[in-house]
Structure formats: structure tokens, C-alpha cells
Amino acid sequence: LYGDDILTRSVNSKRPVSKERKLLYQDAIYAMRLLDSMLGSESSLPQLHTYSRLVRLLSNSMSRDAGKRAEEVLSRMEMQHAFSMGMRSIKDVDLGVKIKQAALECWAVSAAAGLPRAAMSASLLFHRLDERLNQELGGNSERRQAKIFFYNAVIKACSETTLQSEKVEALEIAFDMYNRICADQIAPTSLTFVLLLKCCQLLPPSSQDRVMKLSKEIFGEACSNGRVTRHVLFMLRRVNISLYEAYERKPEHSRAMSQTKMKR
């Protein structure tokens, strides 16, 4: 319980932003040591919420090592449940899925902080989790749709890549993820297309023709899927101003978003 208290206070910290990130990472490392102590005693085994708070703490730290540390936390969670009765309820399964998603998203934090091969690491973690996710989400199409958040997390890690030598590879990984989305028959979200458009910026200025072609194809997919939102248009304006200015709004290009609002 003491470890949970430390995590809760750190996640909800009101410290100044200038000091917060470094201190949050220090808190996260300390909390990981507490986690190991908790795992060493059956009377103090961590709950799923403990893992969730720790991954959130790593994400908020904006550290280069956020992805690596989050994956270590995930491994501890998987090991604990492998040697226990596991997660029985749908609620526990869903929380476990969200923790996996949050851990994967930490690789985008590492990518933005300049860690080498962060996008590739995100892709590798996705592939490691994929089969287990299919089992946990089952065959229900509505539950399987949750996989889009994992695809988006990898694409985000690609879009946040800052190392010049890795940008082309990151772009390839992003489009490989989109092809898998289509093959997996998962509906992309507007965020999928925002991130893919952002990935066009990974190309060098000398490849402007390719940027125009790629962004046109991505925007065409957004239109076809009814996922054109102001966020998609904002990113389109940044990467392909001529296409943005020539675009004429059509209701069917945003039909998926209208249906979502109606369901709510």
C-alpha cells in the first residue's frame, strides 16, 4: 500500500513543469524498486492499478527511457499473472489491455526525446503483444476494435521520431501498421490519419513530391473512411497546403464521426 501511495502522489503531482519531469522519472525509478519489493512478498502483491499508475508516471516523465522502463513494468505484470490465477473478470482483462496500451505509448515519449530505435521498439512490442491481445479481446468486433489504439500508438512513435537517420525507417513502419489495420479489418480513427499525415514530415525537404503524393493518398483514405475532422484538416494544411485549399467538404467524408456522435 505504501508503494501505491507513492505512485498516486507522483502521478497527481502539482510541481512546476520545469522541475516535474526529472523528479517524476526519479519517482518512477524509486516506485519500480518498491514494485519489486511488493512482488517479493505474497502479502503485498501489487494490484493492476499499481501497474497502471506506474506506467502513467513513466509517460508523464517525458524521459528517453520511458518506453524501456514501461516495458519492464509490463514484463513484471505479465510474470505476476503467469504465476497466479490470472485476470478473471472482463473488467480486469480490460484494465490489463489498457496498461499494455499505455506501456506501448511510452515508446512515443522515448522517440520524441531522441532515443535511437524507439519506433522499431514500439513495433516489436506490438508484435509481441498481438497474439495475446487477440485472445483477450476475443472475436467480438466491438472489443477487437480496441486494437486500433495499439496501432495508433506505434504510428505515433513513428511520427515522433527525431533522429534523421531513422526517419525513413519510421515512415515505413507507420505504413506497415496501416496496412495491418486494413488486413486486420479494424476501423481506423481520425487520429490514425492525423498521425500518418504527420509522418509525411519525416521525409526530407528534397522529397517534397513524395510528401505531396503520400499526403494525398492518406487524405483520400481519410475521406473514404469518413474520418475527416478539423484535426485531420489541420495536419493536412501543414503538409500539403495546396490540397487543403482545393478540398471541398462533403458530408460523407465525415460520416463515421457523425455516427459516433449519434451513438453517444
Side-chain angles (χ1 to χ4, degrees):
L1 291 177
Y2 176 66
D4 271 352
D5 289 342
I6 291 290
L7 289 169
T8 301
R9 286 201 302 270
S10 298
V11 169
N12 297 327
S13 171
K14 300 299 182 182
R15 287 188 291 253
V17 175
S18 58
K19 297 180 180 179
E20 184 179 19
R21 291 176 181 173
K22 184 177 180 180
L23 293 173
L24 282 178
Y25 184 69
Q26 291 174 355
D27 285 349
I29 297 303
Y30 177 56
M32 288 185 73
R33 290 199 292 268
L34 290 176
L35 181 69
D36 287 336
S37 297
M38 294 167 75
L39 286 167
S41 172
E42 285 195 22
S43 63
S44 64
L45 288 175
Q47 300 177 348
L48 284 174
H49 287 288
T50 307
Y51 292 102
S52 178
R53 292 185 185 110
L54 182 46
V55 173
R56 281 176 58 198
L57 186 56
L58 286 164
S59 178
N60 292 342
S61 74
M62 304 302 288
S63 167
R64 276 167 54 102
D65 292 332
K68 177 184 175 183
R69 296 297 186 181
E71 208 164 321
E72 291 173 2
V73 172
L74 190 58
S75 294
R76 286 164 170 76
M77 184 184 80
E78 291 173 332
M79 186 176 297
Q80 177 186 343
H81 289 284
F83 288 99
S84 67
M85 294 299 291
M87 294 174 282
R88 295 179 178 178
S89 70
I90 291 295
K91 183 178 179 180
D92 280 351
V93 170
D94 288 348
L95 179 54
V97 168
K98 288 180 180 178
I99 293 168
K100 293 180 177 73
Q101 175 192 332
L104 184 56
E105 289 172 348
C106 282
W107 280 114
V109 174
S110 295
L115 184 74
R117 297 185 63 76
M120 178 57 74
S121 295
S123 177
L124 291 172
L125 178 56
F126 173 89
H127 286 91
R128 182 169 75 80
L129 296 174
D130 193 31
E131 185 176 349
R132 181 67 181 272
L133 280 173
N134 289 334
Q135 293 173 358
E136 291 175 340
L137 296 173
N140 182 287
S141 59
E142 187 172 339
R143 283 180 60 76
R144 285 187 70 254
Q145 181 58 30
K147 281 187 71 177
I148 190 59
F149 301 115
F150 289 79
Y151 285 115
N152 285 350
V154 179
I155 298 173
K156 184 176 182 180
C158 296
S159 72
E160 295 289 350
T161 298
T162 58
L163 296 177
Q164 196 65 40
S165 60
E166 296 186 4
K167 288 186 175 182
V168 172
E169 180 184 57
L171 184 66
E172 292 173 353
I173 292 171
F175 279 90
D176 176 63
M177 283 293 116
Y178 184 70
N179 289 335
R180 286 178 63 94
I181 290 171
C182 298
D184 213 5
Q185 297 184 324
I186 301 293
T189 64
S190 59
L191 179 60
T192 309
F193 297 109
V194 170
L195 294 172
L196 286 171
L197 286 169
K198 185 176 179 180
C199 283
C200 292
Q201 298 178 317
L202 295 170
L203 290 167
S206 59
S207 300
Q208 194 61 20
D209 288 344
R210 191 180 175 197
V211 171
M212 296 298 103
K213 181 181 177 181
L214 278 178
S215 57
K216 184 177 181 179
E217 290 176 0
I218 294 166
F219 187 64
E221 288 288 302
C223 292
S224 299
N225 283 275
R227 293 291 180 179
V228 176
T229 63
R230 62 188 179 87
H231 300 292
V232 172
L233 291 171
F234 175 80
M235 190 54 66
L236 178 67
R237 190 172 187 270
R238 292 184 62 178
V239 299
N240 192 333
I241 184 66
S242 59
L243 181 58
Y244 170 82
E245 291 177 343
Y247 172 64
E248 296 181 6
R249 293 173 182 264
K250 296 181 179 180
E252 60 267 30
H253 292 171
S254 302
R255 67 181 185 280
M257 307 312 298
S258 299
Q259 290 169 1
T260 301
K261 289 178 181 178
M262 288 176 65
K263 287 181 181 179
R264 290 177 183 174

